[in-house]
PDB file of all heavy atoms in Angstrom:
ATOM      1  N   LEU A  76      13.746  43.660  19.947  1.00 94.00           N
ATOM      2  CA  LEU A  76      12.826  43.426  18.825  1.00 94.00           C
ATOM      3  C   LEU A  76      12.961  42.013  18.286  1.00 94.00           C
ATOM      4  O   LEU A  76      11.958  41.352  18.001  1.00 94.00           O
ATOM      5  CB  LEU A  76      13.087  44.428  17.705  1.00 94.00           C
ATOM      6  CG  LEU A  76      12.449  45.790  17.862  1.00 94.00           C
ATOM      7  CD1 LEU A  76      12.980  46.753  16.812  1.00 94.00           C
ATOM      8  CD2 LEU A  76      10.940  45.681  17.773  1.00 94.00           C
ATOM      9  N   ALA A  77      14.200  41.561  18.130  1.00 94.00           N
ATOM     10  CA  ALA A  77      14.428  40.196  17.642  1.00 94.00           C
ATOM     11  C   ALA A  77      13.781  39.186  18.576  1.00 94.00           C
ATOM     12  O   ALA A  77      13.095  38.258  18.131  1.00 94.00           O
ATOM     13  CB  ALA A  77      15.925  39.932  17.488  1.00 94.00           C
ATOM     14  N   ASP A  78      13.972  39.369  19.876  1.00 93.00           N
ATOM     15  CA  ASP A  78      13.363  38.460  20.852  1.00 93.00           C
ATOM     16  C   ASP A  78      11.839  38.525  20.788  1.00 93.00           C
ATOM     17  O   ASP A  78      11.161  37.502  20.801  1.00 93.00           O
ATOM     18  CB  ASP A  78      13.834  38.796  22.269  1.00 93.00           C
ATOM     19  CG  ASP A  78      15.285  38.424  22.531  1.00 93.00           C
ATOM     20  OD1 ASP A  78      15.870  37.656  21.728  1.00 93.00           O
ATOM     21  OD2 ASP A  78      15.845  38.921  23.531  1.00 93.00           O
ATOM     22  N   ALA A  79      11.301  39.742  20.708  1.00 93.00           N
ATOM     23  CA  ALA A  79       9.851  39.908  20.685  1.00 93.00           C
ATOM     24  C   ALA A  79       9.225  39.286  19.436  1.00 93.00           C
ATOM     25  O   ALA A  79       8.108  38.776  19.487  1.00 93.00           O
ATOM     26  CB  ALA A  79       9.496  41.393  20.759  1.00 93.00           C
ATOM     27  N   CYS A  80       9.962  39.317  18.326  1.00 91.00           N
ATOM     28  CA  CYS A  80       9.439  38.793  17.057  1.00 91.00           C
ATOM     29  C   CYS A  80       9.845  37.342  16.815  1.00 91.00           C
ATOM     30  O   CYS A  80       9.407  36.737  15.827  1.00 91.00           O
ATOM     31  CB  CYS A  80       9.903  39.669  15.898  1.00 91.00           C
ATOM     32  SG  CYS A  80       9.188  41.332  15.937  1.00 91.00           S
ATOM     33  N   GLY A  81      10.711  36.799  17.664  1.00 91.00           N
ATOM     34  CA  GLY A  81      11.116  35.395  17.519  1.00 91.00           C
ATOM     35  C   GLY A  81      12.031  35.151  16.330  1.00 91.00           C
ATOM     36  O   GLY A  81      11.934  34.111  15.687  1.00 91.00           O
ATOM     37  N   VAL A  82      12.913  36.123  16.039  1.00 92.00           N
ATOM     38  CA  VAL A  82      13.864  35.974  14.933  1.00 92.00           C
ATOM     39  C   VAL A  82      15.271  36.260  15.446  1.00 92.00           C
ATOM     40  O   VAL A  82      15.448  36.753  16.560  1.00 92.00           O
ATOM     41  CB  VAL A  82      13.531  36.905  13.741  1.00 92.00           C
ATOM     42  CG1 VAL A  82      12.150  36.594  13.175  1.00 92.00           C
ATOM     43  CG2 VAL A  82      13.626  38.371  14.134  1.00 92.00           C
ATOM     44  N   THR A  83      16.265  35.998  14.610  1.00 92.00           N
ATOM     45  CA  THR A  83      17.644  36.287  14.987  1.00 92.00           C
ATOM     46  C   THR A  83      17.910  37.781  14.886  1.00 92.00           C
ATOM     47  O   THR A  83      17.192  38.507  14.188  1.00 92.00           O
ATOM     48  CB  THR A  83      18.640  35.538  14.085  1.00 92.00           C
ATOM     49  OG1 THR A  83      18.526  36.061  12.752  1.00 92.00           O
ATOM     50  CG2 THR A  83      18.387  34.034  14.098  1.00 92.00           C
ATOM     51  N   GLU A  84      18.962  38.220  15.550  1.00 91.00           N
ATOM     52  CA  GLU A  84      19.340  39.636  15.451  1.00 91.00           C
ATOM     53  C   GLU A  84      19.732  39.990  14.021  1.00 91.00           C
ATOM     54  O   GLU A  84      19.470  41.113  13.561  1.00 91.00           O
ATOM     55  CB  GLU A  84      20.476  39.946  16.417  1.00 91.00           C
ATOM     56  CG  GLU A  84      20.008  39.984  17.858  1.00 91.00           C
ATOM     57  CD  GLU A  84      21.099  40.431  18.807  1.00 91.00           C
ATOM     58  OE1 GLU A  84      21.620  41.545  18.618  1.00 91.00           O
ATOM     59  OE2 GLU A  84      21.429  39.655  19.717  1.00 91.00           O
ATOM     60  N   GLN A  85      20.353  39.058  13.316  1.00 92.00           N
ATOM     61  CA  GLN A  85      20.741  39.305  11.925  1.00 92.00           C
ATOM     62  C   GLN A  85      19.497  39.547  11.058  1.00 92.00           C
ATOM     63  O   GLN A  85      19.457  40.467  10.252  1.00 92.00           O
ATOM     64  CB  GLN A  85      21.548  38.124  11.398  1.00 92.00           C
ATOM     65  CG  GLN A  85      22.044  38.319   9.984  1.00 92.00           C
ATOM     66  CD  GLN A  85      22.862  37.121   9.515  1.00 92.00           C
ATOM     67  OE1 GLN A  85      22.828  36.050  10.099  1.00 92.00           O
ATOM     68  NE2 GLN A  85      23.590  37.313   8.430  1.00 92.00           N
ATOM     69  N   THR A  86      18.485  38.712  11.236  1.00 93.00           N
ATOM     70  CA  THR A  86      17.234  38.891  10.501  1.00 93.00           C
ATOM     71  C   THR A  86      16.601  40.229  10.863  1.00 93.00           C
ATOM     72  O   THR A  86      16.144  40.972   9.988  1.00 93.00           O
ATOM     73  CB  THR A  86      16.263  37.731  10.789  1.00 93.00           C
ATOM     74  OG1 THR A  86      16.844  36.518  10.301  1.00 93.00           O
ATOM     75  CG2 THR A  86      14.903  37.957  10.147  1.00 93.00           C
ATOM     76  N   MET A  87      16.580  40.546  12.153  1.00 94.00           N
ATOM     77  CA  MET A  87      15.982  41.808  12.591  1.00 94.00           C
ATOM     78  C   MET A  87      16.737  42.992  12.004  1.00 94.00           C
ATOM     79  O   MET A  87      16.128  43.995  11.618  1.00 94.00           O
ATOM     80  CB  MET A  87      15.955  41.900  14.121  1.00 94.00           C
ATOM     81  CG  MET A  87      15.252  43.151  14.629  1.00 94.00           C
ATOM     82  SD  MET A  87      13.572  43.392  13.963  1.00 94.00           S
ATOM     83  CE  MET A  87      12.726  41.935  14.526  1.00 94.00           C
ATOM     84  N   SER A  88      18.041  42.881  11.887  1.00 92.00           N
ATOM     85  CA  SER A  88      18.831  43.960  11.310  1.00 92.00           C
ATOM     86  C   SER A  88      18.380  44.249   9.880  1.00 92.00           C
ATOM     87  O   SER A  88      18.252  45.419   9.478  1.00 92.00           O
ATOM     88  CB  SER A  88      20.317  43.602  11.343  1.00 92.00           C
ATOM     89  OG  SER A  88      21.077  44.640  10.785  1.00 92.00           O
ATOM     90  N   ARG A  89      18.122  43.209   9.106  1.00 94.00           N
ATOM     91  CA  ARG A  89      17.655  43.396   7.716  1.00 94.00           C
ATOM     92  C   ARG A  89      16.263  44.022   7.673  1.00 94.00           C
ATOM     93  O   ARG A  89      15.989  44.897   6.852  1.00 94.00           O
ATOM     94  CB  ARG A  89      17.669  42.067   6.968  1.00 94.00           C
ATOM     95  CG  ARG A  89      19.061  41.571   6.627  1.00 94.00           C
ATOM     96  CD  ARG A  89      19.023  40.399   5.661  1.00 94.00           C
ATOM     97  NE  ARG A  89      18.305  39.250   6.172  1.00 94.00           N
ATOM     98  CZ  ARG A  89      18.865  38.231   6.821  1.00 94.00           C
ATOM     99  NH1 ARG A  89      20.161  38.217   7.032  1.00 94.00           N
ATOM    100  NH2 ARG A  89      18.137  37.231   7.245  1.00 94.00           N
ATOM    101  N   VAL A  90      15.371  43.565   8.561  1.00 95.00           N
ATOM    102  CA  VAL A  90      14.017  44.116   8.601  1.00 95.00           C
ATOM    103  C   VAL A  90      14.073  45.588   8.979  1.00 95.00           C
ATOM    104  O   VAL A  90      13.412  46.438   8.354  1.00 95.00           O
ATOM    105  CB  VAL A  90      13.127  43.312   9.578  1.00 95.00           C
ATOM    106  CG1 VAL A  90      11.784  43.991   9.772  1.00 95.00           C
ATOM    107  CG2 VAL A  90      12.939  41.879   9.095  1.00 95.00           C
ATOM    108  N   VAL A  91      14.867  45.915   9.995  1.00 96.00           N
ATOM    109  CA  VAL A  91      14.981  47.308  10.436  1.00 96.00           C
ATOM    110  C   VAL A  91      15.599  48.166   9.337  1.00 96.00           C
ATOM    111  O   VAL A  91      15.154  49.301   9.102  1.00 96.00           O
ATOM    112  CB  VAL A  91      15.777  47.395  11.759  1.00 96.00           C
ATOM    113  CG1 VAL A  91      16.162  48.836  12.078  1.00 96.00           C
ATOM    114  CG2 VAL A  91      14.961  46.796  12.900  1.00 96.00           C
ATOM    115  N   ALA A  92      16.601  47.650   8.641  1.00 95.00           N
ATOM    116  CA  ALA A  92      17.228  48.410   7.552  1.00 95.00           C
ATOM    117  C   ALA A  92      16.195  48.764   6.481  1.00 95.00           C
ATOM    118  O   ALA A  92      16.172  49.894   5.970  1.00 95.00           O
ATOM    119  CB  ALA A  92      18.383  47.623   6.946  1.00 95.00           C
ATOM    120  N   ARG A  93      15.328  47.825   6.152  1.00 95.00           N
ATOM    121  CA  ARG A  93      14.281  48.090   5.158  1.00 95.00           C
ATOM    122  C   ARG A  93      13.312  49.149   5.670  1.00 95.00           C
ATOM    123  O   ARG A  93      12.906  50.055   4.938  1.00 95.00           O
ATOM    124  CB  ARG A  93      13.545  46.792   4.840  1.00 95.00           C
ATOM    125  CG  ARG A  93      12.470  46.974   3.806  1.00 95.00           C
ATOM    126  CD  ARG A  93      11.833  45.669   3.423  1.00 95.00           C
ATOM    127  NE  ARG A  93      10.816  45.921   2.426  1.00 95.00           N
ATOM    128  CZ  ARG A  93       9.807  45.122   2.179  1.00 95.00           C
ATOM    129  NH1 ARG A  93       9.705  43.995   2.823  1.00 95.00           N
ATOM    130  NH2 ARG A  93       8.924  45.419   1.267  1.00 95.00           N
TER     131      ARG A  93
END
Side-chain angles (χ1 to χ4, degrees):
L76 278 170
D78 289 345
C80 293
V82 299
T83 66
E84 287 186 58
Q85 183 179 16
T86 296
M87 184 53 61
S88 180
R89 288 191 300 267
V90 172
V91 168
R93 181 175 180 202

